[in-house]
Amino acid sequence: MALVIVHGGEYNGERVEVKGGRLTIGRSLESDVILRDSEVSSHHAQVVQRNKVFWLQDLGSTNGTKVKDRKVIQERMLSGFEFNISKYRFAFIESADSLTDEQEATLEDIRRSLHNALIEELNLKQMTLEQMMDESLRKKASGVMDRLLKERRREIPPIYDLTEIKKAVLDAALGLGPLEELIADRAVTEIMVNGPAKIFIEKGGKMRLADVTFLGKREILTAIERIVGPIGRRIDESSPMVDARLKDGSRVNAIIPPLALDSPVITIRKFPDKVMHIEDLVGFGSLTEPMGTFIEMCAHHAKNTVISGGTGSGKTTLLNIASGFIPDGERIITIEDSAELRLPQDHVVRLETRPPNIEGKGAVTIRDLVRNALRMRPDRIVVGECRGGEALDMLQAMNTGHDGSMTTAHANSPADAVRRMESMVLMSGMDLPLKAVRELIQSAINIIVQISRFSDGTRKLTSITEITGIYEGEIQLQEIFTYRRTGISAEGRVLGYHSATGVIPSFVEELREAGIGVDMSIFVPKMDVK
């Protein structure tokens, strides 16, 4: 087996296997190792195997591939070989073939035996969660593991790495098991545990099966308990679903039997280390500079905005960026189920919902917090997501002096977002006629920003649309910016381009009459790209 270990940037000792005798490196989403760095070429370099010999090849990159500060075109690679691309450092390791199924089963038996011995010796089953999280316990457990490995060294075949065995057992006994290294990996954005040997991760916008496993279903349940215990939540047969948050802000959802039929299930959406800015989205091709300028204009000049999209499309990221354009000095109140927004302004109040306690009482919903926020003298209200009756309170707030408020909603198009808002208002329990609901939406919402996640893992703003009024009982929309798909490449990458539609938003003339400069060139359509 051949591995390339990547250090630097978003990578942290990431190991990538050279599969099929080839590993591509570059900025392109088609690359096996994707480096989001302007100094890296789209197709920068590759590792290839020919006649059982591995070679490093530069693919005509602009800034070169270096070995000991020397640019190279092609170099033979032996185990321990190192090279650099921009700020990234790579190490090549050639090791024995991958373990067979029988060897993998033996390794699991060894880990399980050591795991049980460690639990028994330290009496871990009798400890509280607080005791388990004590740093001194891990040091003590590490010493016990060293002794157990020494005692059983002759029973463990030399093909197995004792250091990796020790880490896996300690993580399972005292931490979150295999989730520890996945959470530490900055390139992993989402973790989905479907079963002990079915851990899927999203990396570089692509979903794949991770090469780590839990010892069993019991260990998955233990990991869930260790996540929810410190924050006062519980999970058992009477309460088999739970939402929680890790220390770094990552969102966690867990569901266990009898609702989950095959195994306890964990879904973790990682909290990004870096706060994204509009320039980052432009760099990723998610939108264009004119679209970013328009989003900033809407936020700065208090246009009520709904960000619409599907699960995992990047709504919260875009909401955080758009909210960051709100002028300093305005009082902003953010309301979320799980606090993720990180606004740069000083005058920000962050509110978070609360689930019911063990007796099923004490829940505080988004709707409760929106109603309370109205009594806190806000200039803007930013709701992480509208999912139900709180939409009515949010729309009323937008209509009563809280211009420039923002929220997100699950929908696949701006028209769907409008229908979704109608449904949510009707869920509020108020007996309002549909005509009144539509008039409320039309007068409250100025702009709908649609963001979508495509089949190749990329996320793009597909539409920015203005609500212009009501005609014959129907809410009228006009698209200001759009994304035009032109096809799919041979590698499965979605092709297309962003463009203005030529429509000038109705409020732009008001801004110009008020003496506020507006760059009208952002509304000029792009010529069709063949």
Side-chain angles (χ1 to χ4, degrees):
M1 178 174 67
L3 294 172
V4 170
I5 304 177
V6 192
H7 299 275
E10 65 270 35
Y11 293 94
N12 183 25
E14 174 68 18
R15 292 170 174 252
V16 185
E17 185 177 353
V18 182
K19 295 181 179 179
R22 186 168 182 261
L23 180 78
T24 57
I25 305 169
R27 201 173 69 248
S28 168
L29 293 174
E30 303 163 11
S31 302
D32 297 313
V33 178
I34 303 170
L35 305 180
R36 302 188 187 280
D37 188 321
S38 60
E39 295 186 4
V40 177
S41 298
S42 295
H43 303 280
H44 197 107
Q46 66 179 4
V47 174
V48 295
Q49 182 185 29
R50 295 198 183 109
N51 299 321
K52 298 184 179 181
V53 176
F54 285 92
W55 297 87
L56 168 67
Q57 296 176 337
D58 185 86
L59 299 176
S61 66
T62 302
N63 294 310
T65 303
K66 296 182 180 180
V67 176
K68 295 181 180 178
D69 294 326
R70 173 176 57 90
K71 288 187 177 181
V72 299
I73 297 176
Q74 179 169 286
E75 288 282 311
R76 181 174 179 174
M77 304 174 70
L78 299 175
S79 189
F81 180 90
E82 294 188 358
F83 61 96
N84 292 82
I85 294 176
S86 183
K87 63 185 177 184
Y88 300 90
R89 179 169 58 87
F90 298 79
F92 175 74
I93 296 178
E94 189 175 8
S95 58
D97 292 337
S98 300
L99 299 178
T100 64
D101 291 342
E102 183 179 348
Q103 289 169 334
E104 288 281 8
T106 301
L107 176 59
E108 289 303 308
D109 289 340
I110 292 170
R111 286 170 54 189
R112 186 177 299 280
S113 175
L114 289 166
H115 180 263
N116 292 337
L118 181 65
I119 288 176
E120 183 176 349
E121 182 154 341
L122 295 180
N123 197 23
L124 296 181
K125 289 184 177 180
Q126 303 302 317
M127 290 188 180
T128 64
L129 282 169
E130 290 76 11
Q131 291 172 320
M132 293 282 284
M133 297 178 71
D134 191 335
E135 188 61 33
S136 63
L137 178 62
R138 192 170 184 97
K139 292 180 180 178
K140 183 178 179 180
S142 178
V144 172
M145 276 300 302
D146 289 337
R147 177 174 55 77
L148 290 173
L149 287 170
K150 185 176 181 180
E151 292 172 354
R152 302 187 184 192
R153 185 63 187 90
R154 292 184 179 181
E155 304 171 18
I156 303 175
I159 60 171
Y160 301 123
D161 187 324
L162 296 184
T163 301
E164 290 187 0
I165 290 175
K166 176 182 175 181
K167 182 180 184 304
V169 173
L170 287 176
D171 285 345
L174 303 176
L176 303 180
L179 298 183
E180 294 279 355
E181 61 180 274
L182 297 178
I183 291 171
D185 187 343
R186 295 180 180 178
V188 173
T189 55
E190 198 140 4
I191 304 167
M192 289 144 283
V193 180
N194 296 350
K198 294 180 180 179
I199 303 176
F200 291 86
I201 59 174
E202 183 184 63
K203 202 169 188 176
K206 299 178 181 177
M207 200 77 68
R208 67 175 178 85
L209 184 67
D211 55 4
V212 294
T213 62
F214 278 95
L215 294 176
K217 296 177 183 178
R218 175 63 231 177
E219 285 67 35
I220 300 177
L221 187 57
T222 298
I224 296 172
E225 291 170 344
R226 287 177 183 162
I227 291 171
V228 305
I231 57 175
R233 308 279 173 87
R234 68 165 187 163
I235 190 164
D236 52 35
E237 285 194 10
S238 64
S239 181
M241 297 184 293
V242 68
D243 288 308
R245 188 171 68 245
L246 299 179
K247 289 181 179 179
D248 67 355
S250 298
R251 286 191 291 179
V252 182
N253 174 268
I255 182 168
I256 65 172
L259 299 186
L261 300 181
D262 301 318
S263 165
V265 175
I266 307 174
T267 307
I268 300 175
R269 179 165 295 178
K270 296 274 293 294
F271 194 71
D273 295 320
K274 176 189 173 186
V275 177
M276 301 284 283
H277 298 90
I278 201 74
E279 294 80 12
D280 296 310
L281 298 190
V282 172
F284 295 152
S286 298
L287 74 166
T288 60
E289 287 187 14
M291 295 169 77
T293 299
F294 183 73
I295 289 172
E296 181 177 2
M297 181 194 306
C298 291
H300 192 83
H301 296 294
K303 300 305 170 185
N304 295 322
T305 302
V306 172
I307 297 173
S308 166
T311 301
S313 59
K315 297 188 301 297
T316 303
T317 298
L318 183 57
L319 179 65
N320 195 85
I321 291 171
S323 302
F325 290 130
I326 297 173
D328 282 324
E330 295 196 32
R331 181 172 170 83
I332 308 167
I333 297 181
T334 67
I335 300 170
E336 301 173 86
D337 274 329
S338 182
E340 293 181 88
L341 298 175
R342 291 186 286 181
L343 305 189
Q345 297 91 334
D346 291 328
H347 205 355
V348 178
V349 178
R350 303 169 70 212
L351 304 180
E352 186 178 61
T353 62
R354 185 178 68 188
N357 59 21
I358 295 176
E359 291 77 27
K361 300 178 181 179
V364 179
T365 66
I366 283 184
R367 188 168 193 188
D368 295 329
L369 293 178
V370 172
R371 288 173 171 174
N372 189 78
L374 295 173
R375 296 191 286 269
M376 298 173 66
R377 202 239 171 253
D379 292 305
R380 314 272 189 118
I381 298 175
V382 179
V383 176
E385 182 181 347
C386 276
R387 287 195 299 264
E390 64 272 5
L392 173 61
D393 303 288
M394 185 70 184
L395 293 172
Q396 288 177 331
M398 290 175 168
N399 264 324
T400 54
H402 305 94
D403 293 335
S405 293
M406 304 180 191
T407 188
T408 73
H410 276 277
N412 295 321
S413 70
D416 285 345
V418 170
R419 288 190 286 270
R420 175 78 174 136
M421 295 300 291
E422 291 174 1
S423 299
M424 288 190 289
V425 171
L426 294 173
M427 292 166 58
S428 67
M430 299 291 289
D431 189 16
L432 295 173
L434 184 57
K435 179 181 178 182
V437 172
R438 288 178 175 173
E439 289 176 350
L440 178 62
I441 292 172
Q442 178 269 326
S443 60
I445 300 173
N446 301 114
I447 297 294
I448 299 174
V449 180
Q450 185 69 38
I451 185 167
S452 301
R453 175 179 172 178
F454 291 108
S455 56
D456 60 357
T458 58
R459 297 170 173 86
K460 297 182 185 297
L461 268 68
T462 53
S463 177
I464 299 180
T465 300
E466 181 185 24
I467 293 181
T468 58
I470 294 180
Y471 180 72
E472 294 184 351
E474 297 289 333
I475 292 176
Q476 300 299 297
L477 306 174
Q478 65 175 6
E479 194 170 44
I480 302 166
F481 294 92
T482 188
Y483 178 73
R484 296 191 173 100
R485 293 181 61 166
T486 58
I488 298 179
S489 70
E491 296 79 17
R493 185 178 181 184
V494 174
L495 303 176
Y497 63 96
H498 291 98
S499 175
T501 62
V503 171
I504 307 298
S506 60
F507 63 83
V508 166
E509 192 58 36
E510 298 172 12
L511 296 179
R512 298 181 69 187
E513 288 177 358
I516 299 171
V518 177
D519 181 4
M520 300 301 290
S521 67
I522 66 174
F523 303 115
V524 176
K526 184 175 182 179
M527 298 299 292
D528 286 346
V529 178
K530 301 296 184 184

